Amino acid sequence: GQQVMQIPQYQHVQEGEDFTTYCNSSTTLSNIQWYKQRPGGHPVFLIQLVKSGEVKKQKRLTFQFGEAKKNSSLHITATQTTDVGTYFCAGPDGGATNKLIFGTGTLLAVQP
Amino acid sequence: GAVVSQHPSRVICKSGTSVKIECRSLDFQATTMFWYRQFPKQSLMLMATSNEGSKATYEQGVEKDKFLINHASLTLSTLTVTSAHPEDSSFYICSAQVAAGTTGELFFGEGSRLTVL
């Protein structure tokens, strides 16, 4: 079945350093979504990318969708302690139900 | 954004009892809701797709008789963990899409942390 992998599994940075998480799907995706889950919380939608090679920015966050629409990345510039949490990418399984398959996630820890 | 409310947020029960978790869409109608399960420090695993007025679609490996899903109205889906055992202890989260039949963003409930003693 479809698999969505993320690397790294865990990243510990000093506040102010940059951070990147990479997402790779075993199948081509019609779109890719990114979610953030704070410790003890629930996933919150960040963004959706649809076009091949698309790049979107949200303040210090930059999201990219690969040309082949099988991979994506999230880059955070100058991390802050509020960035702490697990970042998940998710893609539709391509079936009739349009269910989302979540990636393995990257846990970001930011040391003040 | 759309609001999905889940209740209870935490529940502790004895082994062998059943637990019902409710998921409500507060400001929109959700013909489809999704139930996920999450173990500590792991990803979200889709358990089933809940369809209003029809039977839920379960993912491979998820026991239908163990995890009963009912989606009786456009704003409410329930997950009942029957005869719960310690291995059922987990974080259960529901989600819904505002636009049915699309792959738009999911709005998640707050989640329910189940502990089975």
Side-chain angles (χ1 to χ4, degrees), chain A residues 10 14 34 41 66 72:
Chain A
Y10 172 78
Q14 291 285 127
W34 285 91
S72 181

Side-chain angles (χ1 to χ4, degrees), chain B residues 11-78:
Chain B
V11 58
I12 300 173
C13 69
K14 293 182 178 180
S15 185
T17 60
S18 294
V19 174
K20 180 185 282 188
I21 301 170
E22 293 187 348
C23 179
R24 295 180 184 274
S25 56
L26 298 186
D27 51 359
F28 67 101
Q29 294 182 332
T31 55
T32 302
M33 289 185 176
F34 302 93
W35 286 94
Y36 289 86
R37 181 176 183 176
Q38 186 178 37
F39 290 106
K41 298 184 179 181
Q42 292 192 23
S43 186
L44 291 86
M45 183 193 79
L46 180 64
M47 299 175 64
T49 302
S50 172
N51 303 296
E52 186 268 335
S54 64
K55 292 183 178 180
T57 303
Y58 290 82
E59 294 301 303
Q60 191 172 7
V62 178
E63 299 178 57
K64 302 178 183 180
D65 297 332
K66 177 74 172 176
F67 300 99
L68 299 179
I69 292 174
N70 183 275
H71 195 152
S73 78
L74 288 172
T75 59
L76 174 64
S77 176
T78 60

Side-chain angles (χ1 to χ4, degrees), chain A residues 6-23 34-37 46 60-64 72-89 104-111:
Chain A
Q6 284 181 252
I7 55 170
Q9 188 175 359
Y10 172 78
Q11 182 86 57
H12 180 220
V13 300
Q14 291 285 127
E15 190 171 23
E17 292 181 338
D18 292 355
F19 159 77
T20 304
T21 172
Y22 300 91
C23 171
W34 285 91
Y35 292 79
K36 176 183 178 181
Q37 184 177 24
L46 294 176
R60 295 179 294 104
L61 278 61
T62 302
F63 304 84
Q64 289 188 313
S72 181
S73 66
L74 158 58
H75 179 81
I76 302 178
T77 304
T79 56
Q80 299 175 359
T81 54
T82 53
D83 296 325
V84 165
T86 302
Y87 293 86
F88 292 101
C89 62
T104 47
T106 297
L107 173 59
L108 172 64
V110 180
Q111 185 168 350

Side-chain angles (χ1 to χ4, degrees), chain A residues 9 30-31 33 35 37 40-45 48 88 92 97-105 107, chain B residues 34 36 38 41-44 46 49 57 59 91 93 97 101-106 108-111 113:
Chain A
Q9 188 175 359
S30 59
N31 70 79
Q33 299 178 26
Y35 292 79
Q37 184 177 24
H42 60 280
V44 174
F45 174 82
Q48 176 175 289
F88 292 101
T97 58
N98 292 317
K99 57 191 179 187
L100 279 182
I101 305 300
F102 279 76
T104 47
L107 173 59
Chain B
F34 302 93
Y36 289 86
Q38 186 178 37
K41 298 184 179 181
Q42 292 192 23
S43 186
L44 291 86
L46 180 64
T49 302
T57 303
E59 294 301 303
F91 190 51
I93 323 176
Q97 291 172 327
T102 69
T103 54
E105 66 178 284
L106 289 180
F108 283 86
E110 304 91 337
R113 191 166 301 282

Side-chain angles (χ1 to χ4, degrees), chain A residues 1-5 24-27 92-94 99 101, chain B residues 59-60:
Chain A
Q2 179 186 7
Q3 290 186 320
V4 183
M5 305 296 292
N24 291 284
S25 170
S26 59
T27 60
D93 75 332
K99 57 191 179 187
I101 305 300
Chain B
E59 294 301 303
Q60 191 172 7

